[in-house]
Amino acid sequence: MDQEEMGSGGVWPVVVRLPVEPVEAAVEADAMDAVVQVDTLAVRGPLFGVAAQSVEAEKRPQWQVVIAVTADCPQTARDSLNSLLWFRAKDDAQDRTERRALLAAVARLERERVDELTVLGTRYRIVRAEEYAGMDADGIEQPRPTDPEPVRPDWDRATTEDPIDDGLLLDPDAPITPAQAAERLALRTLAYTGSRFPDDVRSDSQRAVVTHPDVLLLPATFSVVEQAAGGGWMSASALHGSAHEARKTLDFSLTWWEPRRRGLVPVGAHRDVDARTLVAEGVDPAASELAPYAEAADQLRAGRVNQLEVEGTVYRIGRTRRLLRWGPDGPEGPRPSDISRHGPERIHPVLDEDGNILPEDEDNEAESSI
């Protein structure tokens, strides 16, 4: 389906397919159970990333995520696009013509708040998603039984996780399951209405329902949330692509970060020193205070634990979701009311036309020639 075949009001028809494979059917059953258990949705705020589309394919609706939709402000996503194009110019450009085009785009991103640009036949756009989570009487939704888990959990801190949204295709034509369709249709009218949101934020949100009337659901993400006695749930980690990676972050926080933050382990201690090692040795004066942290982290490694309490703080692996608004021209970009904490700036050394990094004293001359 191309853009001329969109339904009335610029909304894409939803193509529904019934899950037939056993695993997919189980995932669908989990999703239906969640609908019953969740009392409300908590909107956590916007996230930003970068999607790309070939100029030759712009009459078709598909875009591909090239920078994960996890940044907390538009400029962070622009900076990531800057890096993507800079490294492509440095390592992948086939000739000077390609490198000039890439470096010209980098130069724009260093000076301007660019939300879309076309380079070498590819259209790049800063895209905006809304992060939200299901809530019930017990708090934020936890991982579902059918969310992906590794067969053999890897707790090695040196191991990197698979990137979120890696190669994700954004396609409003793609068939979806009944539960996904119900969620997608229900969220089409989602807009900020609470008085805690500034007027311009509410206005932009209501306008987006008209300009980008459809929504696409992105894969679930997971993070550590925490709740101190008598308080609400607070985010305590970055987003991860799996519940296990969030548990791995919590393991690090309990054994390494929290002991240092609380002064139980010297900040300058060797990186291998943590609550586990000091409790195992049993000679450190803080060993007894570190024991609850080491024991809690050991619980994480004993099974798929999604919640535990340490020293009056409840830690939970929270399951969050993201929706991306979609209009006649594709995914929504940043809104005027979206705030960036910093402006455009140069974040990489200057390259010449041959891909060589120039010394600092040659930077100004090279920049003036781009």
Side-chain angles (χ1 to χ4, degrees):
M1 180 183 297
D2 60 31
Q3 295 175 3
E4 295 178 354
E5 295 177 277
M6 292 179 70
S8 61
V11 175
W12 291 90
V14 177
V15 181
V16 180
R17 59 175 177 77
L18 294 176
V20 293
E21 296 296 331
V23 172
E24 189 179 41
V27 172
E28 181 74 356
D30 262 1
M32 298 304 293
D33 288 343
V35 172
V36 176
Q37 295 166 3
V38 167
D39 296 329
T40 187
L41 295 180
V43 177
R44 295 165 60 85
L47 297 171
F48 303 88
V50 181
Q53 181 190 57
S54 168
V55 171
E56 296 176 354
E58 63 183 6
K59 288 190 176 181
R60 298 194 297 273
Q62 296 93 344
W63 289 67
Q64 188 169 38
V65 175
V66 294
I67 300 292
V69 188
T70 57
D72 61 358
C73 74
Q75 190 58 47
T76 300
R78 296 184 195 111
D79 290 345
S80 295
L81 177 57
N82 181 326
S83 291
L84 178 74
L85 298 178
W86 187 89
F87 279 105
R88 185 175 169 191
K90 177 178 176 291
D91 300 328
D92 301 328
Q94 298 299 307
D95 51 41
R96 286 185 169 185
T97 301
E98 281 195 5
R99 189 169 288 109
R100 283 194 202 102
L102 291 163
L103 292 177
V106 168
R108 279 196 65 195
L109 287 162
E110 291 174 345
R111 298 189 307 265
E112 306 172 29
R113 297 179 185 270
V114 181
D115 290 331
E116 183 168 322
L117 51 76
T118 299
V119 188
L120 298 176
T122 298
R123 185 183 183 192
Y124 296 93
R125 178 179 295 175
I126 308 301
V127 296
R128 181 191 197 278
E130 205 72 66
E131 184 186 16
Y132 62 101
M135 302 286 291
D136 60 22
D138 190 39
I140 191 170
E141 183 183 9
Q142 299 181 46
R144 299 173 184 174
T146 50
D147 285 327
E149 296 276 5
V151 177
R152 293 183 179 85
D154 181 358
W155 296 96
D156 187 349
R157 293 173 186 168
T159 304
T160 58
E161 63 180 298
D162 294 333
I164 295 176
D165 298 334
D166 189 27
L168 178 65
L169 185 67
L170 305 175
D171 184 1
D173 281 343
I176 54 179
T177 68
Q180 292 168 336
E183 186 172 0
R184 181 168 157 181
L185 292 172
L187 292 172
R188 277 181 173 173
T189 57
L190 178 69
Y192 298 155
T193 57
S195 59
R196 68 187 180 94
F197 297 107
D199 291 343
D200 59 340
V201 172
R202 293 201 303 271
S203 297
D204 283 351
S205 180
Q206 292 158 7
R207 187 181 304 110
V209 174
V210 178
T211 61
H212 295 78
D214 205 354
V215 298
L216 265 64
L217 304 180
L218 304 184
T221 51
F222 304 85
S223 64
V224 180
V225 295
E226 63 181 45
Q227 182 184 50
W233 290 101
M234 303 290 291
S235 178
S237 82
L239 297 179
H240 297 279
S242 71
H244 172 70
E245 291 298 337
R247 293 187 200 106
K248 193 171 170 181
T249 292
L250 179 54
D251 177 271
F252 174 78
S253 179
L254 292 173
T255 59
W256 200 96
W257 170 246
E258 277 296 314
R260 283 167 169 78
R261 187 178 74 85
R262 294 174 180 266
L264 301 176
V265 174
V267 173
H270 189 276
R271 64 183 181 182
D272 292 336
V273 174
D274 62 14
R276 277 197 184 90
T277 60
L278 294 178
V279 169
E281 292 170 357
V283 296
D284 191 278
S288 61
E289 294 179 83
L290 290 168
Y293 294 95
E295 291 168 4
D298 288 344
Q299 289 180 44
L300 281 176
R301 298 195 178 199
R304 294 176 181 176
V305 175
N306 293 320
Q307 181 169 307
L308 44 78
E309 182 174 350
V310 187
E311 299 295 279
T313 298
V314 177
Y315 298 91
R316 174 178 291 186
I317 306 304
R319 185 185 200 272
T320 55
R321 294 175 257 175
R322 299 166 295 160
L323 69 86
L324 189 152
R325 286 205 163 275
W326 200 273
D329 192 37
E332 182 187 15
R335 299 172 185 173
S337 57
D338 289 327
I339 298 173
S340 288
R341 296 188 307 275
H342 62 286
E345 60 184 342
R346 200 182 84 189
I347 55 179
H348 293 289
V350 174
L351 294 177
D352 67 14
E353 292 183 335
D354 296 313
N356 301 309
I357 296 176
L358 297 180
E360 286 293 325
D361 57 359
E362 298 181 34
D363 283 359
N364 292 335
E365 180 181 348
E367 286 178 330
S368 64
S369 67
I370 292 177

